[in-house]
Amino acid sequence: MNFTEHPDFPEALSLAEQLADVGRWYCPPAFRTPLAVERKSDGSPVTVADREIETHMRRMIRAAFPGHAIQGEEFASEGSGEFTWVLDPIDGTKSFITGFPLFGSLIALLQGGRPVLGVIEAAALGERWVGCEGRPTLFNGRPVRTSACRVTEQAVLYTTTTETFDAAQRRRFEA
């Protein structure tokens, strides 16, 4: 069964958009303001905004779907079951804390470990992408599509670090 046919689909889609709204509400007031920055055990930065956003998102999920599991960037995983929400309240925290507007909230819903719904909320840019199995991807409510590019070497790729790729992969993208 396609997820869009599941009885929980309408409520899950609505909740995913509401979770993205949390990032939209919390990020702008904290963006480009002095923030205390802590380091997580892996050395990556985290702010009170990261933690507040995820805390609020988790409360909303537990209220709407108490039987769903939650995996987040800032706190321990909780629950298990057919559905798991995956949250990164501020993806791009380094950009967020340095005043660069390329950060966002990432929300996904997995069914049996398979992604069926995802939202990217770029609050500083006023942009939102919503992708759902069996439906066109939307950008700010309008359908979008991928490019017709079929060759990796001709693709446009953006990344925050080339360390994502090994040396052979990096050479494929060098100009």
Side-chain angles (χ1 to χ4, degrees):
M1 170 190 326
N2 186 312
F3 179 63
T4 56
E5 299 165 4
H6 192 281
D8 287 343
F9 168 72
E11 188 178 354
L13 178 59
S14 175
L15 177 61
E17 294 246 23
Q18 291 169 42
L19 296 172
D21 288 341
V22 173
R24 187 171 277 190
W25 300 326
Y26 273 84
C27 286
F31 184 53
R32 295 185 174 152
T33 65
L35 292 170
V37 179
E38 296 176 28
R39 295 281 167 192
K40 295 189 277 190
S41 60
D42 66 1
S44 63
V46 63
T47 68
V48 67
D50 293 271
R51 291 182 178 136
E52 286 180 0
I53 292 167
E54 185 171 325
T55 296
H56 195 76
M57 288 176 168
R58 284 172 176 264
R59 279 191 207 121
M60 293 169 67
I61 294 167
R62 284 191 296 269
F65 294 106
H68 288 194
I70 304 172
Q71 261 185 300
E73 179 81 13
E74 309 309 336
F75 302 106
S77 296
E78 57 184 80
S80 63
E82 179 183 8
F83 291 100
T84 301
W85 291 89
V86 181
L87 309 171
D88 189 346
I90 302 178
D91 181 57
T93 300
K94 287 179 185 176
S95 292
F96 179 73
I97 61 179
T98 59
F100 194 64
L102 297 183
F103 62 87
S105 297
L106 306 180
I107 297 122
L109 179 60
L110 310 179
Q111 182 180 22
R114 185 175 54 84
V116 293
L117 173 62
V119 180
I120 300 170
E121 173 64 41
L125 303 175
E127 297 179 349
R128 179 177 293 175
W129 290 264
V130 178
C132 186
E133 177 183 61
R135 292 183 136 195
T137 297
L138 302 177
F139 171 68
N140 288 345
R142 295 183 323 239
V144 294
R145 61 180 174 73
T146 59
S147 74
C149 179
R150 301 280 184 231
V151 181
T152 303
E153 290 79 7
Q154 295 174 354
V156 175
L157 174 76
Y158 296 94
T159 183
T160 56
T161 177
T162 57
E163 293 168 3
T164 304
F165 307 100
D166 65 32
Q169 292 171 322
R170 281 194 301 269
R171 281 193 295 276
R172 293 181 72 189
F173 294 102
E174 294 172 351

